[in-house]
Amino acid sequence: MSVAQRHKAETREIAEPLCRLEDLVDGRSRGFDPLGEGRDTMFVVRRGAAVHAWRNHCPHYDRARMAWKKDEFLDPSGERIMCFAHGALFDIASGECVLGPCLGQSLTPVEIELRDGLVRVRGKYAPGFRR
Amino acid sequence: MRIIGPDELIFGVDDLDACRAFLVDYGLDEVDRTEGGASYHALDGTGITIRKRSDPSLPRPLPTASMLRKTIYGVEDQETLEEIAAELGKDRDIIREADGSLSCRDDLDFALGFRVTTRRKLDLPAEMINSPGAKPGRPANVLGANQDAEAKPRTLSHIVYFVPDMERLTKFYIERLKFVITDKFTNTGPFLRPQSNFDHHVLFMIQTPAYMQGLEHLAFHMQGPTELMLAGSRMVKKGYESFWGPGRHKFGSNWFWYFNSPLGTHVEYDADMDLHDGAWTERETPMSAEAAQLFLFENVEKWAPGGPPPGKQG
């Protein structure tokens, strides 16, 4: 990914599926970079047949990145989404902050679709890289 | 009051393995590891201790998401320790621990400790540079670029708290512990240094709602900008999440690179911070992106010139 390519990222529909459902480990999170910006700008959490998808932006700082390492978006119990910038905890299904610096705020959802065993982003997807 | 700066930060965490992996990859040396936790030291012996969140030996946590359980300041000698005990003992309980250190809480309920510092005096070279017009920093045939340089954190530099009442806590550190303000972001918070440290800041505060109270970040000093860049780029390569940087701050002039961490706080590399003494007059400016840094960069993959011109690949 060159710098020139990354800066071309613009809001558009994502034709390619993110992955297959079976690629996602139950109870775990995984980051994605649908526009090829060079960083994961969204992540999903699989719980059984359900997949929850959120933008990789903690609401308490502008575009704050949340994981502590590639694909690590959950607290150690696996029961909450955690922002490893300052420890905020979020409900996995509703995205609501339950403890920490963004209490009363919520994560930004990404609309996804599960069809034919594939996970797809629905509608237009905006870049997430801070520029 | 001859306080030097933070000697040790103690955390209560859920995932010891994740914290251990992060802190070792960050460049600290693991010491005193047991089932219940371990300490991670910079070259001078300052550093971080992690314990299980439920460890009964830890001071009680803040009611927020912060995992910081105690900040222990190093002081020059026993006399200073007694001076602190006498001063803070006027209006709060001071616990004398078995190791001779003092424990109490500050005016916003952060757990504090004080001990005769356990840091070792470092005798290490600075980053050496060559600059036209100046005497060479490196003699002929001594190389500046070393991909394999250890690039280890040298000493615990500073901490930054989210605080619900910065005026009150500033007053506590200034009036009771004789810290000095070097600079200030209006309505955000002051940069503070204790009497026995010339670093621009060992403590900074950011005014926030009460539910945010905790540790915003901690930082260790690196040899210089090159080792800071080297250590940070290694972290990115290992998959850690760069949060802000590399760049260079204006207040303090320190180079910075912040990472997210499983300790639920940012962990920063810093280098080349300004020093100040009593002759300095504090500056004040509103917080803004412009005021927060001289410049800001983002790590990208390595690249080299060469190969066919664009559009002629294959």
Side-chain angles (χ1 to χ4, degrees):
Chain A
M1 178 66 47
S2 77
V3 174
Q5 278 173 312
R6 196 180 68 210
H7 284 187
K8 269 192 234 156
E10 54 189 31
T11 302
R12 62 174 169 83
E13 292 194 358
I14 311 295
E16 291 294 307
L18 292 175
C19 65
R20 295 175 300 178
L21 179 61
E22 67 184 55
D23 295 336
L24 298 175
V25 181
D26 196 11
R28 299 295 297 270
S29 56
R30 183 165 153 190
F32 290 96
D33 177 16
L35 296 175
E37 296 175 80
R39 317 272 307 226
D40 290 338
T41 55
M42 63 167 285
F43 63 96
V44 303
V45 182
R46 178 172 177 187
R47 291 182 123 185
V51 178
H52 305 280
W54 303 101
R55 295 300 301 242
N56 182 14
H57 294 164
C58 183
H60 102 271
Y61 274 167
D62 178 38
R63 302 188 193 200
R65 300 145 186 171
M66 298 174 65
W68 67 274
K69 200 168 187 180
K70 172 70 184 148
D71 299 331
E72 302 290 347
F73 291 88
L74 298 182
D75 80 337
S77 73
E79 294 300 311
R80 304 278 190 203
I81 292 164
M82 183 162 170
C83 176
F84 291 91
H86 300 115
L89 296 174
F90 301 86
D91 183 79
I92 291 173
S94 72
E96 195 182 328
C97 178
V98 294
L99 183 70
C102 15
L103 210 56
Q105 294 178 278
S106 289
L107 296 174
T108 307
V110 178
E111 207 180 332
I112 55 165
E113 175 178 60
L114 302 178
R115 188 159 40 87
D116 305 329
L118 297 171
V119 183
R120 296 175 184 277
V121 173
R122 283 174 70 161
K124 293 199 167 169
Y125 187 88
F129 203 87
R130 193 198 291 131
R131 284 182 278 183
Chain B
M1 221 172 247
R2 286 170 297 151
I3 298 170
I4 300 168
D7 256 24
E8 185 180 355
L9 302 174
I10 302 177
F11 290 82
V13 306
D14 294 310
D15 191 341
L16 286 171
D17 289 340
C19 294
R20 176 177 292 136
F22 177 91
L23 294 169
V24 168
D25 284 339
Y26 175 81
L28 301 175
D29 291 325
E30 186 176 65
V31 293
D32 301 334
R33 178 167 166 182
T34 64
E35 253 181 41
S39 293
Y40 297 85
H41 284 181
L43 294 179
D44 72 344
T46 55
I48 291 169
T49 292
I50 55 170
R51 298 266 178 263
K52 284 295 247 183
R53 186 190 289 270
S54 57
D55 189 324
S57 72
L58 293 175
R60 70 181 150 75
L62 291 167
T64 61
S66 183
M67 298 184 210
L68 178 70
R69 298 292 278 273
K70 191 173 188 179
T71 301
I72 301 177
Y73 284 94
V75 308
E76 288 204 358
D77 48 29
Q78 189 62 36
E79 194 188 331
T80 308
L81 217 51
E82 295 308 327
E83 201 184 339
I84 292 168
E87 173 59 35
L88 297 185
K90 288 177 189 166
D91 61 354
R92 70 203 68 210
D93 292 333
I94 307 286
I95 298 162
R96 287 187 183 264
E97 307 285 355
D99 65 0
S101 68
L102 307 176
S103 296
C104 63
R105 316 266 316 184
D106 73 16
D107 279 2
L108 290 182
D109 208 30
F110 283 103
L112 274 183
F114 299 92
R115 71 182 180 211
V116 176
T117 188
T118 54
R119 69 187 65 199
R120 298 181 290 272
K121 198 168 168 51
L122 295 177
D123 182 13
L124 296 169
E127 179 168 342
M128 300 299 181
I129 65 163
N130 292 328
S131 178
K135 188 169 169 280
R138 294 189 311 279
N141 308 320
V142 174
L143 309 181
N146 176 8
Q147 185 71 69
D148 302 319
E150 274 201 310
K152 289 171 91 67
R154 291 189 166 189
T155 184
L156 186 53
S157 161
H158 63 269
I159 54 174
V160 174
Y161 288 151
F162 282 139
V163 299
D165 188 342
M166 66 149 173
E167 299 293 354
R168 185 167 171 208
L169 202 61
T170 302
K171 201 167 169 228
F172 172 82
Y173 282 94
I174 290 176
E175 292 183 0
R176 311 297 298 280
L177 298 172
K178 309 301 177 195
F179 281 42
V180 180
I181 296 185
T182 48
D183 288 319
K184 189 174 180 184
F185 280 125
T186 316
N187 301 327
T188 298
F191 293 89
L192 295 160
R193 67 174 183 85
Q195 298 276 319
S196 285
N197 196 326
F198 292 142
D199 275 355
H200 178 270
H201 58 284
V202 307
L203 175 63
F204 175 58
M205 297 172 204
I206 298 175
Q207 173 74 39
T208 65
Y211 60 79
M212 289 177 70
Q213 186 174 347
L215 187 65
E216 201 286 332
H217 76 259
L218 64 94
F220 284 84
H221 284 313
M222 303 298 285
Q223 180 196 39
T226 301
E227 288 207 348
L228 176 146
M229 300 276 190
L230 192 61
S233 60
R234 285 173 182 162
M235 290 293 277
V236 171
K237 203 166 180 181
K238 285 177 177 161
Y240 294 107
E241 187 72 87
S242 163
F243 186 84
W244 184 21
R248 189 168 197 181
H249 286 308
K250 285 185 176 168
F251 281 175
S253 299
N254 50 303
W255 294 73
F256 63 83
W257 198 341
Y258 298 82
F259 288 83
N260 284 357
S261 83
L263 289 83
T265 187
H266 290 143
V267 177
E268 178 195 1
Y269 291 112
D270 90 33
D272 195 11
M273 182 181 274
D274 291 332
L275 303 178
H276 293 289
D277 62 17
W280 177 248
T281 305
E282 71 178 79
R283 298 168 293 180
E284 180 167 344
T285 185
M287 174 65 108
S288 67
E290 194 49 44
Q293 60 232 300
L294 197 57
F295 43 69
L296 174 63
F297 295 100
E298 183 85 29
N299 185 79
V300 296
E301 279 179 34
K302 285 185 178 180
W303 174 89
K312 296 254 178 181
Q313 279 104 333

